[in-house]
């Protein structure tokens, strides 16, 4: 039997998304490229944290929170949960206690990452559609309160996953491997928890983000028409309104982030709904359409945790400049030391 195409794609995709490398690399390369991945993401977080990207403190708080959450998703899910067990099958992550903790942490990181996107979208919705509330609501204090609340609730929601795992086998009385307990498949309590979990993440966030963006677009169009009317303009005239231009620039970031989320999560949402309608409990083979849809949805979901930094670099000119400064800084320091030593 030939190696299924979906597994071939995963063998390349997960190491790539983890920035670990490709199959066949040695442990030294495995470690060094993992550290380079973490360094790149930490640089993005540090650049945003400095507050020199021309964004308000409120927006900066949300973007830093989202960047940290996305980083944790890739670390706990793509690297520790998927990639390391594939290429280092006898590593510590296969110990049942570690596996149980990772099961809860990967879920918590995903929940927090998704709901951080919702809170950011809601914040921009309020700022654009309810200007009277903007001064009181769209502040760094409110942002910190929302991010903290989402983090606590996300951890509490994901905690039961720790207790759903049991070992596959024992070696010298040490539990190894991870599998769901038998009660997970037969207990009404676990069935209810799983259903609520899937509804809260990602179904509710997905539709909330769509709703907030539709309402935001509607508000922008109405406001633009009113301002054109006040200026006595026709729709064909090219009159530049500074406020309208600033507003459109400010929402490009919102629509880019939320649009990326919607596009990359839509497969997961649709499959989750479909799988529960027809009651998918197992897959016939690796060529089963449901199996392929499930694995594809997972890959796209993890990809959504790696796109925001690219969005910042493409859209935010000041972010690009700060990133450029961060890259050339070590070389400038080396050049200065060399010049001092030389002369």
């Amino acid at each position: 039997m030939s190696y299924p195409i979906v597994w071939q794609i995963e063998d390349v995709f997960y190491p790539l998304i983890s920035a670990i490398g490709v199959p066949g690399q040695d442990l030294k390369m495995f470690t060094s490229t993992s550290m380079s991945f973490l360094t790149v993401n930490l640089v993005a977080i540090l650049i945003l944290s400095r507050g020199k990207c021309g964004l308000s403190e409120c927006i900066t708080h949300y973007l830093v929170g989202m960047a940290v959450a996305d980083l944790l998703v890739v670390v706990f899910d793509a690297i520790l949960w998927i990639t390391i067990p594939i290429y280092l099958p006898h590593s510590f992550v296969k110990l049942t206690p570690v596996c149980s903790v990772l099961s809860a942490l990967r879920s918590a990181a995903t929940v927090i990452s998704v709901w951080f996107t919702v809170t950011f979208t809601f914040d921009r919705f309020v700022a654009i559609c309810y200007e009277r509330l903007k001064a009181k609501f769209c502040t760094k204090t409110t942002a910190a309160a929302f991010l903290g609340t989402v983090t606590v609730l996300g951890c509490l929601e994901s905690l039961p996953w720790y207790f759903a795992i049991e070992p596959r086998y024992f070696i010298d009385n040490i539990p190894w491997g991870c599998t769901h307990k038998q009660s997970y498949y037969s207990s009404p309590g676990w069935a209810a928890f799983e259903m609520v979990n899937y509804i809260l993440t990602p179904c509710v966030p997905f539709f909330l983000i769509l709703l907030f963006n539709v309402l935001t677009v509607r508000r922008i169009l109405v406001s633009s028409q009113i301002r054109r009317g006040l200026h006595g303009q026709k729709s064909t005239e090219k009159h530049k309104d500074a406020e309208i231009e600033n507003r459109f620039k400010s929402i490009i970031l919102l629509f880019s982030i939320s649009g990326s989320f919607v596009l990359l999560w839509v497969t997961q949402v649709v499959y989750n709904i479909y799988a529960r309608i027809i009651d998918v409990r197992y897959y016939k083979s690796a060529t089963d359409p449901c199996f392929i849809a499930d694995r594809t949805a997972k890959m796209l979901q993890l990809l959504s945790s790696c796109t925001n930094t690219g969005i910042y670099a493409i859209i935010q000119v000041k972010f690009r400049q700060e990133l450029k400064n961060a890259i050339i800084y070590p070389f400038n320091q080396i050049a200065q030391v060399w010049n001092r030593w030389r002369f």
Side-chain angles (χ1 to χ4, degrees), residues 34-64:
S34 296
M35 290 305 297
S36 66
F37 164 77
L38 295 176
T39 301
V40 168
N41 282 273
L42 289 174
V43 166
I45 293 171
L46 291 174
I47 288 175
L48 290 170
S49 300
R50 295 181 65 191
K52 295 184 178 181
C53 295
L55 302 170
S56 67
E57 291 183 335
C58 177
I59 294 178
T60 300
H61 267 63
Y62 282 113
L63 295 186
V64 170

Side-chain angles (χ1 to χ4, degrees), residues 72-73 76-77 80 98-112 155 158 161-162:
L72 294 178
V73 169
F76 291 136
D77 206 344
L80 294 177
V98 176
C99 188
S100 299
V101 172
L102 287 178
S103 179
L105 289 178
R106 64 191 283 265
S107 173
T110 300
V111 170
I112 292 169
C155 292
S158 302
W161 289 116
Y162 174 85

Side-chain angles (χ1 to χ4, degrees), residues 252-283:
I252 288 176
L253 182 62
L254 166 64
F255 288 162
S256 298
I257 292 175
S258 57
S260 171
F261 174 87
V262 169
L263 290 175
L264 294 175
W265 273 87
V266 65
T267 306
Q268 185 75 275
V269 173
V270 172
Y271 175 76
N272 283 345
I273 296 174
Y274 174 78
R276 274 147 189 78
I277 291 176
I278 67 172
D279 194 23
V280 176
R281 295 181 179 271
Y282 62 91
Y283 305 113

